[in-house]
Amino acid sequence: MVTDILCQIHYCTGQKLTDPVRVLNGVTRTLQHHELIFVCEGNGHIVIGENRYTMKRGMLFYIPPGVQLTIEPRAQNPEHYMTVHFSGSCMALDSDGKWKYQQNIRTLHQPSAQEITDYTPAVELFEKLLDTWNNKGPSYEFIAGTLLRRLLILISQNSKKQNKNHAISLKIDRIIEYMRQNINRKITLEELSGIARLSTFYLSRTFKDATGYPIIAYFNKMKIDKAKELLIEGNKKVKEVAYELGYTNEFYFSRTFKRIEGLSPSEFYSKNVYEF
């Protein structure tokens, strides 16, 4: 965990690539310590190992020791980024239950690239770290190390938040696919909640945040979209379409259709067939 790491800062930089030669040639290097690069502006590219990423505002890149880094800036929009270079060590329990000092940790188990959602706190923390290091005031190494640990914790929390959002996104996708497969029947919020393994309240909130629709309204819209397809291409009667989509009452289906489309099923059919 990042909270267990003891950091030794080697140096920090904050720069704009305004030198035409440097902009054209870029930077390629392989260091034997850890490096964090936080992008404040720019739209060039960065290559870490074999992976190439776009540099943009709010992106943070982590380069572990021994991994080649190439920065490919663009002359028309010079990159502005801040970096911190450091080594890490920690105290850990070995297999015998004894504390062991581990020096020169080779990786922090952080993603090579991530977008920092809390941009302003990250910028302020990084700038304070740079100022502390460059001013060389009393106990600056200890203070800068503490700021770096806070920065690493912020980065770790950001990564966990992104992973959580991805997991929720997968659950929403699963719910929508379940709706698609069961479009011919009635489903309940409780049923969908069980599939997603989320509370009905949390599922309702996250689903609306992701799609812009309440969950049952979204399912009804899917049904009506399918109804339009069946009416036009399937050449089916309104009653047949209603029953095929799980509506036991033709008139309820028609009211739902009109509420969503602004036309009754018959009016929709006439408009799209006879006015074609």
Side-chain angles (χ1 to χ4, degrees), residues 128-182:
K128 191 173 182 179
L129 169 60
L130 263 64
D131 289 342
T132 300
W133 185 262
N134 293 330
N135 291 337
K136 299 290 191 290
S139 304
Y140 78 94
E141 290 181 307
F142 173 78
I143 297 172
T146 301
L147 290 169
L148 176 55
R149 281 166 58 85
R150 287 175 56 190
L151 182 61
L152 290 172
I153 291 171
L154 184 149
I155 294 167
S156 178
Q157 291 173 339
N158 183 81
S159 180
K160 290 178 180 178
K161 184 177 180 180
Q162 290 184 345
N163 289 337
K164 181 180 180 180
N165 289 341
H166 178 65
I168 292 297
S169 178
L170 291 177
K171 288 179 181 289
I172 297 299
D173 290 343
R174 184 181 178 189
I175 288 295
I176 292 174
E177 180 58 28
Y178 183 83
M179 290 177 175
R180 187 175 292 111
Q181 293 177 358
N182 292 272

Side-chain angles (χ1 to χ4, degrees), residues 14 26 37 51 70 74 94 104 108 118 136 162 166 174-175 179 194 208 211 216 218 220-221 237 265 269 273:
I37 300 176
N51 299 312
T70 299
R74 293 186 179 182
D94 60 18
N104 296 327
L108 300 183
D118 296 329
K136 299 290 191 290
Q162 290 184 345
H166 178 65
R174 184 181 178 189
I175 288 295
M179 290 177 175
K208 187 172 183 179
T211 66
I216 297 302
Y218 189 93
N220 286 333
K221 188 176 184 305
K237 296 180 180 180
Y269 179 82
V273 173

Side-chain angles (χ1 to χ4, degrees), residues 23 26-27 43-47 52 55 70-74 79:
V23 169
V27 176
N43 59 357
H45 292 87
I46 186 169
V47 182
R52 189 168 185 261
M55 297 180 72
T70 299
I71 298 177
E72 304 171 347
R74 293 186 179 182
E79 273 57 44

Side-chain angles (χ1 to χ4, degrees), residues 243-258:
Y243 288 161
E244 186 166 335
L245 292 175
Y247 291 93
T248 57
N249 187 310
E250 174 187 349
F251 300 104
Y252 177 74
F253 164 72
S254 296
R255 288 197 302 271
T256 303
F257 191 104
K258 187 169 185 177

Side-chain angles (χ1 to χ4, degrees), residues 24 33-34 39 61 125 133 137 156 170 218 239 257 267 274:
L24 291 174
H33 55 253
H34 306 271
V39 181
F61 300 97
L125 195 53
W133 185 262
S156 178
L170 291 177
Y218 189 93
K239 184 176 182 179
F257 191 104
E267 291 171 335
Y274 297 117

